[in-house]
Amino acid sequence: MIKAGIVGSTGYAGAELVRLLLGHPDVEIAWLGSKSYIDKRYSDVFRNMFTLVDDVCLEDNIEKMAEQVDVIFTATPQGYCSSIINENVLRKVKVIDLSADYRIKDVETYQHWYGLVHQSPQFIEESVYGLCEINREEIRTSRLVANPGCFPTCSILSLYPLVKEGVVDTKSIIINACSGTSGAGRGAKVDNLFCEVNENIKAYGVASHRHTPEIEEQLSCAAGKEIILNFTPHLAPMNRGILVTAYANLKETISENETREIYKKYYDKESFVRLLPEGVNPETRWVEGSNFADVNFKIDGRTNRIIAMGAIDNLVKGAAGQAVQNMNIVFGLREETGLMMPPVFP
Amino acid sequence: MIKAGIVGSTGYAGAELVRLLLGHPDVEIAWLGSKSYIDKRYSDVFRNMFTLVDDVCLEDNIEKMAEQVDVIFTATPQGYCSSIINENVLRKVKVIDLSADYRIKDVETYQHWYGLVHQSPQFIEESVYGLCEINREEIRTSRLVANPGCFPTCSILSLYPLVKEGVVDTKSIIINACSGTSGAGRGAKVDNLFCEVNENIKAYGVASHRHTPEIEEQLSCAAGKEIILNFTPHLAPMNRGILVTAYANLKETISENETREIYKKYYDKESFVRLLPEGVNPETRWVEGSNFADVNFKIDGRTNRIIAMGAIDNLVKGAAGQAVQNMNIVFGLREETGLMMPPVFP
Amino acid sequence: MIKAGIVGSTGYAGAELVRLLLGHPDVEIAWLGSKSYIDKRYSDVFRNMFTLVDDVCLEDNIEKMAEQVDVIFTATPQGYCSSIINENVLRKVKVIDLSADYRIKDVETYQHWYGLVHQSPQFIEESVYGLCEINREEIRTSRLVANPGCFPTCSILSLYPLVKEGVVDTKSIIINACSGTSGAGRGAKVDNLFCEVNENIKAYGVASHRHTPEIEEQLSCAAGKEIILNFTPHLAPMNRGILVTAYANLKETISENETREIYKKYYDKESFVRLLPEGVNPETRWVEGSNFADVNFKIDGRTNRIIAMGAIDNLVKGAAGQAVQNMNIVFGLREETGLMMPPVFP
Amino acid sequence: MIKAGIVGSTGYAGAELVRLLLGHPDVEIAWLGSKSYIDKRYSDVFRNMFTLVDDVCLEDNIEKMAEQVDVIFTATPQGYCSSIINENVLRKVKVIDLSADYRIKDVETYQHWYGLVHQSPQFIEESVYGLCEINREEIRTSRLVANPGCFPTCSILSLYPLVKEGVVDTKSIIINACSGTSGAGRGAKVDNLFCEVNENIKAYGVASHRHTPEIEEQLSCAAGKEIILNFTPHLAPMNRGILVTAYANLKETISENETREIYKKYYDKESFVRLLPEGVNPETRWVEGSNFADVNFKIDGRTNRIIAMGAIDNLVKGAAGQAVQNMNIVFGLREETGLMMPPVFP
């Protein structure tokens, strides 16, 4: 059994890790770390876990944790993981960081968009961006996996084949996205109160959201040249789900079928990326609670644009599920282990 | 492997059966019956099942189904199961009926509340009311299990220890309940449109809801005398969940602790009934997607009443989950098999 | 023009007062008091008021306010109004208190349920409980109106005719109620975050909610004898609305028609209480945004109980709307002035 | 008093017309037309109107209606208004058509996108596109006003100043929009059931939505040259509201302030278009229940694009409210009459 520790187990992403690891046949949760709920019974914080998790929350002490576990998940605010990690820890355990600290290779870019001084830039180079479908091989041998952001996961998976194959004009990419409210975390803020979110939709972080450089870096890497794009997230009145609607100009006329072959080339053997049938748009309800990313596209002959679309559950494929998928890869397990639960509908 | 057939697999309860059976290690779905979607790919009706279920829907033909499967689940409107079942079918397969047709032993009562003539009253006597925690032994040897209604499951589990032990005045029972909208089914009705249900709460079936006699019969059986009670369901703007708040006069003063012992006597060894810690009220969010029934109670010394409370997921413990639990019992499997998924929150 | 000041104008009830007073032909808002947003533009706090309200928030200084206005609304937490009010203020202006400070005549009861020492008990006796339909005459000449709580308004209006006319056994009253989340206020609490409230329903304050003694006192007054009852509020995933489902034993058999006449006796001339047609249950969607209270009842011959039901918008008839109705009465205006806006649906 | 008739008064837009006209000081509703509810009391269909509207629904007979009213609103499916209108009607009354029948000047375009043969193309030329802020003068003297679609209203108001002033590359326009579910109408369809819409977001009509040519025609007119663009609507789990997030390439570098002046040039004197302060994004919650259109923009220097944003209530400024605004213009009333109700929040 793989022993797992979670730093920040009492946020929404941390709690989803607990849910998924409870159903994983090869993992045992050995340390439930928390900042706010130390010594409190975990099932008093998340009552869905009553009778399933008997443990109390322990401190978020990565050093001690590293003595007792095989893998550490850090589900903490930006800047925290990079401030506590060190060579000693990395020698003992595998680390899968759900924060943004190691996602961006260019430390200046990270520091600019996040407004933070990176506390351990020496580990950036060796860390691997854990978008499993794309970096599977590098992940296999990594000791520090940077688990992708929720919006980047959905955006990149939606656009990757088009960018990689050079189908679209990389200067023209615009990504419009909607997220459920669990993406905003469990902190007590007026803006996230029920009455403020319910019956409302809004854009936020327009032209300034921190997931922008992460998407740009990964797509640039796929394209082999620098990509600058627009990314606009919106907050939707629902618990879970991310929907991406992305636009790009086609470099040349391409048929529906040719495009479909391009998507198939990348996703046909993937268990978690589902290329939907022609004419069927991704919807968040069809992936809720699961690790699936549903993608599809539509070509608009009138404007010569392609609309690439994707849907994920932000807490699963957009966070905890992909973290478990990364763990499976790192530990040489079947990638689907513990992750094949069907989406919950309605 | 147990082969399962589902009559009515394209309703919400049928779809939940598919979800649960997909995760069941000992079952294989062999027949997806439907009235409206014959020959249509199942995953075109429920797109969450894309890549997970490749089959097309077949007709709801119970005779043919009985040739090919070991267990048949009927998730159909009232009156349908009793019109198609016969000795020939029951000789070949086990039947678990999710409708109300065999829940009520008194056929007059059934016919009065449902406004239907019962088509096969000869099977009522042998059928077993499948509230697993209470009728486990009878279920084991039954060939026709009447899977309980969603409101009755939650109501009975909340009140059973109090009624069975004679703690409350059985003339004084009032059950107030709220349900998510999936309980209303997937039929296209104006009343169930998003804009009609959202931002609204209403009582319905006041003093006339069909689940009333089902609850009364079961609690009467527990009390050893006839119980007449009030049951008022409400429709709440959420997908899933049933919450019961039940009131009864205490026959004599009883302490919190004594009452807790009574509940423990019945539920301490149950995997799916969770008696919550003192002062913690059941909430539907903590059971969503799971087979748990969370129960608790509060004694009001001022009025000498007890308030018994329960929460379930109407599609799981209130329908498909309990049906699988019944199947496990009937086939001699561990009762928890395929049903220990943690609740999904948020 | 009546000049109005609002203490606590930046909570949900305060904001609803602003909305209603903006549409009132005889009132001008002269002071927008706030504790947290002093010197901040009001429309930066509630952006729906952009271009409609240009003022900035002022301090919650009741003394200064009393120099400049004719009526003061206090929409503040319990205990605050009673700590700042004094004879000097009451000599100059009318005060309509939306908190609980003057609702309960028995100061011991107030102090017991609210856990507060009452800071100005000398004004309790002269204050009038502002349930307009019942205390209209006393309100007319009052200088301190205790605006009723949201649950009490709906509960009392639903049950009043039955209790007043002695139709029900006053020992048997049970009130089950559901509220939208705006009733919980705009404070930043984890429990009121979108993801915690959405897709959930729960009871709270079981056998201990502070609105219990308020309901009991008013119904006792109507009955002419002490009433002790059960009141259980629930939190529902919607912004606005209160639904009451109340149960009581009938003292004697009574027909639907006779009961209807009793309700008509009290409500037939009321503009804001709508006795619905037979068989139509109150629903919160039909009163949203309006000052209406929809009521109806159902007799259950089987149990000899009556189920009395009511629906209001908690922020209008349950708070700001009734406060304006009280102001209209106090200032001798037509009671409906500024309050006849139809409910907003959907 | 202006006498008004409504063809299709029992849909969501028709019901909103009733709500608004009830509050209009110069209008009396004289005919509530309906196809499905003839002879049924209107307040039995929309119970929010109980005690406010006593009339029964009459047939949708435009000829008879024209004898008795001064203005007819047609809130009916596409193709219906154009099939019943004639010179006789137009001579007697003003017609404000809330459907798409007269919005598009090019009849071929209409027939292509709507898949209908236009039944009265002879009236297309004289009809005026009723986007009040842009076509006020033409509306004044029109006898047939084509009330704009909900998405087009919000899209055009968001982009108009930029297109009219030639700030953006008209080949680059992409409009991404989200709508509440009331936009889908009150028909009983599985896709619009609560459980299908709730906890979901999806794009629909991708590259094929019928509002596309309407937006294109109006913006082309503003630009003085043909514009082809992308428009993608999404369905969001809320009752009301439309949010537009539109993207366009800037032709030349332009400052925030210069752009703001351009918006002010068009909207500074408008009562219903609110240009929000810098940095404040439109949100649907701040306009709900009102006739306001909130707009703003953000310049992205990195990509040289502008993001134009807008929010309206789809049933008010996007339908019934704008229809009343058009009526006010046509009848020479103050344009704001009956429409200055503040947005309802929360």
Side-chain angles (χ1 to χ4, degrees):
Chain A
M1 292 292 272
I2 299 164
K3 289 188 175 174
I6 304 173
V7 180
S9 69
T10 53
Y12 287 140
E16 189 71 355
L17 269 170
V18 172
R19 178 174 82 91
L20 296 177
L21 294 177
L22 279 181
H24 196 294
D26 303 320
V27 180
E28 170 189 344
I29 302 174
W31 189 299
L32 291 166
S34 177
K35 205 177 93 183
S36 316
Y37 297 103
I38 299 172
D39 292 338
K40 191 156 184 179
R41 192 171 291 277
Y42 190 80
S43 63
D44 286 346
V45 184
F46 288 97
R47 293 198 183 277
N48 51 330
M49 293 307 169
F50 184 58
T51 72
L52 298 173
V53 178
D54 283 336
D55 300 334
V56 298
C57 299
L58 304 175
E59 57 176 333
D60 273 341
N61 189 321
I62 200 170
E63 296 279 358
K64 287 192 195 164
M65 209 183 279
E67 301 291 332
Q68 302 181 23
V69 304
D70 304 301
V71 59
I72 292 176
F73 297 94
T74 52
T76 46
Q78 325 306 338
Y80 188 72
C81 178
S82 53
S83 74
I84 58 171
I85 211 159
N86 56 49
E87 183 60 28
N88 188 36
V89 166
L90 285 173
R91 267 199 210 116
K92 292 180 187 151
V93 298
K94 305 291 186 178
V95 173
I96 297 172
D97 177 24
L98 281 76
S99 85
D101 286 3
Y102 298 98
R103 292 181 197 154
I104 295 172
K105 288 295 172 195
D106 185 71
V107 70
E108 296 297 319
T109 300
Y110 172 87
Q111 297 188 150
H112 171 70
W113 287 79
Y114 284 87
L116 295 168
V117 177
H118 202 292
Q119 298 298 310
S120 53
Q122 69 273 23
F123 300 120
I124 294 179
E125 200 187 330
E126 69 159 299
S127 75
V128 174
Y129 188 75
L131 192 50
C132 312
E133 286 74 13
I134 292 172
N135 294 330
R136 188 171 282 128
E137 288 315 310
E138 292 81 351
I139 294 163
R140 218 177 288 284
T141 55
S142 172
R143 56 181 197 168
L144 173 55
V145 178
N147 206 60
C150 49
F151 284 122
T153 295
C154 195
S155 300
I156 298 166
L157 288 175
S158 299
L159 286 164
Y160 186 80
L162 301 175
V163 170
K164 183 76 175 174
E165 296 289 318
V167 173
V168 295
D169 172 4
T170 54
K171 289 197 194 68
S172 70
I173 299 172
I174 289 170
I175 300 169
N176 200 93
C178 295
S179 174
T181 305
S182 59
R186 214 188 187 196
K189 294 179 190 163
V190 168
D191 275 355
N192 296 333
L193 290 176
F194 182 83
C195 289
E196 309 291 316
V197 172
N198 189 38
E199 294 298 293
N200 188 41
I201 194 156
K202 66 172 176 184
Y204 64 98
V206 181
S208 62
H209 193 277
R210 293 163 169 192
H211 282 169
T212 311
E214 181 180 338
I215 301 168
E216 287 178 344
E217 194 175 281
Q218 293 301 317
L219 289 182
S220 295
C221 180
K225 61 180 166 185
E226 195 190 11
I227 293 181
I228 305 287
L229 51 76
N230 272 97
F231 166 67
T232 315
H234 296 71
L235 188 69
M238 54 190 201
N239 284 349
R240 291 173 178 238
I242 280 182
L243 187 78
V244 157
T245 308
Y247 305 84
N249 297 338
L250 291 167
K251 288 209 290 207
E252 295 174 26
T253 303
I254 187 169
S255 73
E256 163 84 22
N257 273 344
E258 289 168 308
T259 313
R260 190 155 292 276
E261 288 308 312
I262 287 173
Y263 272 89
K264 281 188 183 166
K265 175 176 167 188
Y266 290 91
Y267 297 143
D268 226 17
K269 293 184 182 153
E270 292 298 337
S271 295
F272 295 120
V273 181
R274 305 192 293 192
L275 176 63
L276 299 180
E278 187 178 342
V280 177
N281 299 333
E283 307 187 26
T284 61
R285 63 174 161 160
W286 302 128
V287 297
E288 203 177 334
S290 84
N291 200 48
F292 291 115
D294 282 2
V295 300
N296 212 344
F297 64 90
K298 174 93 180 184
I299 292 170
D300 186 355
R302 297 169 69 248
T303 59
N304 200 36
R305 287 199 188 99
I306 188 165
I307 300 105
M309 297 171 280
I312 62 168
D313 182 321
N314 59 306
L315 292 178
V316 190
K317 185 61 180 171
Q322 186 148 254
V324 172
Q325 193 180 349
N326 275 311
M327 181 201 72
N328 287 344
I329 296 173
V330 168
F331 285 83
L333 303 174
R334 262 191 78 240
E335 208 169 312
E336 295 83 359
T337 314
L339 289 173
M340 285 308 287
M341 58 281 175
V344 180
F345 171 80
Chain B
M1 292 294 271
I2 299 164
K3 288 187 175 176
I6 304 173
V7 180
S9 69
T10 52
Y12 287 141
E16 190 71 355
L17 268 170
V18 172
R19 179 175 81 90
L20 296 177
L21 294 177
L22 279 181
H24 195 293
D26 303 319
V27 179
E28 172 189 342
I29 302 175
W31 190 298
L32 291 166
S34 177
K35 204 175 94 182
S36 315
Y37 298 102
I38 299 172
D39 292 338
K40 191 156 184 179
R41 191 170 290 277
Y42 191 78
S43 64
D44 286 346
V45 183
F46 288 97
R47 293 198 183 278
N48 51 330
M49 293 307 169
F50 184 58
T51 71
L52 297 173
V53 178
D54 282 337
D55 299 336
V56 298
C57 299
L58 303 176
E59 56 178 333
D60 274 341
N61 188 322
I62 201 171
E63 297 278 359
K64 287 192 194 163
M65 209 183 281
E67 303 290 332
Q68 302 181 23
V69 304
D70 304 301
V71 59
I72 292 175
F73 297 95
T74 52
T76 45
Q78 325 307 338
Y80 188 71
C81 179
S82 53
S83 75
I84 57 170
I85 211 159
N86 56 50
E87 183 59 30
N88 187 37
V89 167
L90 285 173
R91 266 199 210 116
K92 292 182 187 149
V93 299
K94 305 289 186 180
V95 174
I96 297 171
D97 176 24
L98 281 75
S99 85
D101 286 3
Y102 299 98
R103 292 181 196 154
I104 295 173
K105 289 294 173 197
D106 186 73
V107 69
E108 297 298 320
T109 301
Y110 172 88
Q111 296 188 153
H112 171 70
W113 286 79
Y114 284 87
L116 295 168
V117 177
H118 201 293
Q119 299 298 309
S120 53
Q122 69 273 25
F123 300 120
I124 294 179
E125 199 187 331
E126 70 159 299
S127 73
V128 175
Y129 188 74
L131 191 49
C132 313
E133 286 74 15
I134 292 173
N135 294 331
R136 190 171 282 129
E137 289 314 311
E138 291 82 352
I139 295 164
R140 218 179 288 282
T141 55
S142 172
R143 55 182 197 168
L144 174 55
V145 178
N147 207 58
C150 49
F151 285 122
T153 295
C154 196
S155 300
I156 298 166
L157 288 174
S158 300
L159 286 163
Y160 185 78
L162 302 175
V163 170
K164 182 78 177 172
E165 296 290 317
V167 173
V168 294
D169 171 6
T170 54
K171 289 197 192 68
S172 69
I173 299 172
I174 290 171
I175 300 170
N176 200 92
C178 295
S179 173
T181 305
S182 58
R186 213 188 188 196
K189 295 178 190 166
V190 168
D191 275 356
N192 296 332
L193 290 177
F194 181 83
C195 290
E196 309 290 316
V197 172
N198 190 38
E199 295 299 292
N200 187 41
I201 194 156
K202 65 172 177 183
Y204 64 99
V206 180
S208 62
H209 194 277
R210 294 162 168 193
H211 281 170
T212 310
E214 182 180 338
I215 301 169
E216 288 178 345
E217 194 174 279
Q218 293 302 316
L219 290 182
S220 295
C221 180
K225 62 180 168 185
E226 195 189 12
I227 292 181
I228 304 288
L229 51 74
N230 273 96
F231 166 67
T232 316
H234 296 72
L235 188 70
M238 54 190 199
N239 284 349
R240 291 174 178 238
I242 280 182
L243 188 77
V244 158
T245 307
Y247 304 85
N249 296 338
L250 292 166
K251 288 210 290 211
E252 296 173 26
T253 303
I254 186 169
S255 74
E256 163 84 20
N257 273 345
E258 289 168 307
T259 314
R260 191 156 292 276
E261 288 308 313
I262 287 174
Y263 271 89
K264 281 188 184 165
K265 174 174 166 188
Y266 290 91
Y267 296 143
D268 226 19
K269 292 184 182 154
E270 293 298 336
S271 295
F272 295 121
V273 182
R274 306 191 293 191
L275 176 63
L276 299 181
E278 187 178 341
V280 177
N281 299 333
E283 307 188 25
T284 61
R285 62 174 160 159
W286 301 128
V287 297
E288 201 176 336
S290 84
N291 201 48
F292 291 115
D294 283 1
V295 299
N296 212 344
F297 64 91
K298 174 94 179 180
I299 292 169
D300 186 354
R302 297 169 69 248
T303 59
N304 199 36
R305 287 199 188 99
I306 188 164
I307 300 105
M309 297 171 280
I312 62 169
D313 182 320
N314 59 305
L315 292 178
V316 190
K317 185 62 179 170
Q322 185 149 253
V324 172
Q325 194 179 350
N326 275 312
M327 180 200 72
N328 287 343
I329 296 173
V330 167
F331 285 83
L333 303 174
R334 264 192 75 241
E335 207 169 313
E336 295 83 358
T337 314
L339 289 173
M340 285 307 288
M341 58 281 176
V344 180
F345 171 81
Chain C
M1 291 294 272
I2 298 164
K3 288 188 176 173
I6 304 173
V7 181
S9 68
T10 52
Y12 287 140
E16 189 71 356
L17 268 169
V18 173
R19 179 175 82 91
L20 296 177
L21 293 177
L22 279 181
H24 196 295
D26 302 320
V27 179
E28 173 188 341
I29 302 175
W31 190 297
L32 291 167
S34 177
K35 204 176 95 183
S36 316
Y37 297 103
I38 298 171
D39 293 338
K40 191 156 183 180
R41 191 170 291 278
Y42 190 79
S43 63
D44 286 346
V45 184
F46 287 98
R47 292 197 183 277
N48 52 330
M49 294 306 169
F50 184 58
T51 72
L52 297 173
V53 177
D54 283 336
D55 299 335
V56 297
C57 298
L58 303 176
E59 56 177 333
D60 274 341
N61 188 321
I62 200 171
E63 296 279 359
K64 287 193 195 163
M65 209 184 279
E67 302 291 332
Q68 302 182 23
V69 305
D70 303 302
V71 60
I72 292 175
F73 297 94
T74 52
T76 46
Q78 325 307 338
Y80 188 71
C81 178
S82 53
S83 75
I84 57 170
I85 211 160
N86 56 50
E87 182 60 29
N88 188 37
V89 166
L90 285 174
R91 267 200 208 114
K92 291 181 187 150
V93 299
K94 306 289 186 180
V95 174
I96 297 170
D97 176 24
L98 281 76
S99 85
D101 287 2
Y102 298 99
R103 291 181 197 154
I104 294 172
K105 289 295 172 196
D106 185 72
V107 70
E108 297 297 321
T109 301
Y110 172 87
Q111 297 188 152
H112 171 69
W113 287 79
Y114 284 87
L116 295 168
V117 176
H118 202 292
Q119 298 299 308
S120 53
Q122 68 273 25
F123 300 121
I124 295 180
E125 199 186 332
E126 69 159 299
S127 74
V128 175
Y129 188 75
L131 192 48
C132 313
E133 286 74 14
I134 292 172
N135 294 331
R136 189 171 282 128
E137 289 314 311
E138 292 81 352
I139 294 163
R140 217 177 289 284
T141 56
S142 171
R143 55 181 197 167
L144 174 55
V145 178
N147 206 59
C150 50
F151 285 122
T153 294
C154 196
S155 301
I156 298 167
L157 288 175
S158 300
L159 286 164
Y160 186 78
L162 302 175
V163 169
K164 183 77 176 172
E165 296 289 317
V167 173
V168 295
D169 171 4
T170 54
K171 289 197 192 69
S172 70
I173 298 173
I174 289 171
I175 300 170
N176 200 92
C178 295
S179 173
T181 306
S182 58
R186 214 188 188 196
K189 295 178 190 166
V190 168
D191 275 356
N192 296 332
L193 290 177
F194 181 83
C195 290
E196 309 290 317
V197 171
N198 190 38
E199 294 300 291
N200 188 40
I201 193 155
K202 65 172 176 183
Y204 64 99
V206 181
S208 62
H209 193 277
R210 294 163 168 190
H211 282 171
T212 310
E214 182 180 338
I215 301 169
E216 288 178 344
E217 194 175 280
Q218 293 301 317
L219 290 183
S220 295
C221 180
K225 63 179 168 186
E226 196 191 11
I227 292 179
I228 303 288
L229 52 75
N230 272 97
F231 166 66
T232 315
H234 296 72
L235 189 69
M238 54 191 199
N239 284 348
R240 293 174 177 237
I242 280 183
L243 187 78
V244 158
T245 308
Y247 305 85
N249 296 338
L250 292 167
K251 288 210 290 210
E252 296 174 25
T253 302
I254 188 169
S255 74
E256 163 83 22
N257 273 345
E258 289 167 307
T259 314
R260 190 156 290 276
E261 288 307 313
I262 286 173
Y263 271 90
K264 280 188 183 166
K265 174 176 165 188
Y266 290 92
Y267 296 143
D268 226 18
K269 293 182 181 154
E270 292 298 337
S271 295
F272 295 121
V273 181
R274 305 192 293 191
L275 176 62
L276 299 181
E278 186 177 341
V280 177
N281 299 333
E283 307 188 26
T284 61
R285 63 175 160 158
W286 302 128
V287 297
E288 202 177 334
S290 84
N291 200 48
F292 291 114
D294 283 2
V295 299
N296 212 345
F297 64 90
K298 175 93 181 183
I299 292 170
D300 186 356
R302 297 169 68 248
T303 59
N304 199 36
R305 287 200 188 97
I306 188 164
I307 300 104
M309 296 171 280
I312 62 168
D313 182 320
N314 60 305
L315 291 179
V316 190
K317 185 62 180 171
Q322 186 147 255
V324 172
Q325 194 180 350
N326 275 311
M327 182 200 70
N328 288 344
I329 296 173
V330 167
F331 284 83
L333 303 175
R334 265 192 76 240
E335 207 169 312
E336 294 84 356
T337 314
L339 288 173
M340 285 306 288
M341 58 283 175
V344 181
F345 172 80
Chain D
M1 292 293 271
I2 299 164
K3 289 187 175 174
I6 304 172
V7 181
S9 69
T10 52
Y12 288 139
E16 189 71 355
L17 268 170
V18 172
R19 179 175 82 91
L20 296 178
L21 293 177
L22 280 181
H24 196 295
D26 303 319
V27 179
E28 173 188 343
I29 302 175
W31 190 298
L32 291 166
S34 177
K35 205 177 93 183
S36 315
Y37 298 103
I38 298 172
D39 291 337
K40 190 155 185 181
R41 192 171 292 276
Y42 191 79
S43 64
D44 286 346
V45 183
F46 287 97
R47 293 197 183 278
N48 52 330
M49 293 307 169
F50 184 57
T51 72
L52 297 173
V53 177
D54 283 336
D55 300 335
V56 298
C57 298
L58 304 176
E59 56 178 332
D60 274 341
N61 188 321
I62 199 170
E63 296 279 357
K64 287 191 194 164
M65 209 183 279
E67 302 291 331
Q68 302 181 22
V69 304
D70 304 301
V71 59
I72 293 174
F73 297 94
T74 52
T76 45
Q78 325 308 337
Y80 188 72
C81 178
S82 53
S83 76
I84 57 170
I85 210 160
N86 56 50
E87 183 60 30
N88 188 36
V89 166
L90 285 173
R91 268 201 208 115
K92 291 181 187 150
V93 298
K94 304 290 185 180
V95 173
I96 297 172
D97 176 25
L98 280 75
S99 85
D101 287 2
Y102 298 98
R103 292 182 196 154
I104 295 173
K105 289 295 172 195
D106 185 72
V107 68
E108 296 297 320
T109 301
Y110 172 87
Q111 297 189 150
H112 170 70
W113 287 80
Y114 284 87
L116 295 168
V117 176
H118 201 293
Q119 298 299 308
S120 53
Q122 68 273 26
F123 299 119
I124 295 180
E125 198 185 332
E126 68 161 300
S127 74
V128 175
Y129 188 75
L131 191 48
C132 312
E133 286 74 14
I134 292 173
N135 292 332
R136 190 171 281 129
E137 289 314 311
E138 292 80 354
I139 295 164
R140 217 178 288 284
T141 55
S142 172
R143 55 180 197 168
L144 174 55
V145 178
N147 207 59
C150 50
F151 285 123
T153 295
C154 195
S155 301
I156 297 166
L157 288 174
S158 300
L159 285 164
Y160 185 79
L162 301 175
V163 169
K164 182 77 177 175
E165 295 290 317
V167 173
V168 295
D169 172 5
T170 53
K171 289 197 192 69
S172 70
I173 299 173
I174 290 170
I175 300 170
N176 200 93
C178 295
S179 174
T181 305
S182 57
R186 215 189 187 196
K189 295 178 190 164
V190 168
D191 275 355
N192 296 333
L193 291 177
F194 182 83
C195 290
E196 308 291 316
V197 172
N198 189 38
E199 294 299 292
N200 188 41
I201 194 156
K202 66 172 176 184
Y204 64 99
V206 182
S208 62
H209 193 277
R210 293 162 170 194
H211 282 170
T212 311
E214 182 180 340
I215 301 169
E216 287 178 344
E217 193 175 281
Q218 293 300 317
L219 290 183
S220 295
C221 180
K225 62 179 167 185
E226 194 189 12
I227 292 180
I228 305 288
L229 51 74
N230 272 97
F231 166 67
T232 315
H234 296 72
L235 188 69
M238 54 190 199
N239 284 349
R240 291 173 178 239
I242 280 182
L243 187 78
V244 157
T245 308
Y247 305 84
N249 295 338
L250 291 166
K251 288 210 290 208
E252 294 174 26
T253 303
I254 187 169
S255 73
E256 164 83 23
N257 273 344
E258 289 168 308
T259 313
R260 191 155 291 275
E261 288 308 313
I262 287 173
Y263 271 90
K264 281 187 183 165
K265 175 175 167 189
Y266 290 91
Y267 297 143
D268 227 17
K269 293 183 181 152
E270 292 297 337
S271 295
F272 295 121
V273 182
R274 305 192 292 192
L275 176 62
L276 300 181
E278 188 178 342
V280 177
N281 300 333
E283 306 187 25
T284 61
R285 62 174 160 160
W286 302 128
V287 297
E288 201 177 333
S290 84
N291 200 48
F292 291 115
D294 283 1
V295 300
N296 212 345
F297 64 89
K298 175 92 179 184
I299 292 170
D300 186 354
R302 298 169 69 247
T303 60
N304 199 37
R305 287 199 189 99
I306 188 165
I307 300 105
M309 297 171 279
I312 62 168
D313 182 321
N314 59 305
L315 291 179
V316 190
K317 184 63 180 171
Q322 185 148 257
V324 172
Q325 194 180 349
N326 274 312
M327 181 201 72
N328 287 344
I329 296 174
V330 166
F331 285 83
L333 304 174
R334 264 192 75 242
E335 207 168 312
E336 294 84 358
T337 313
L339 289 173
M340 284 308 287
M341 59 281 176
V344 180
F345 171 81

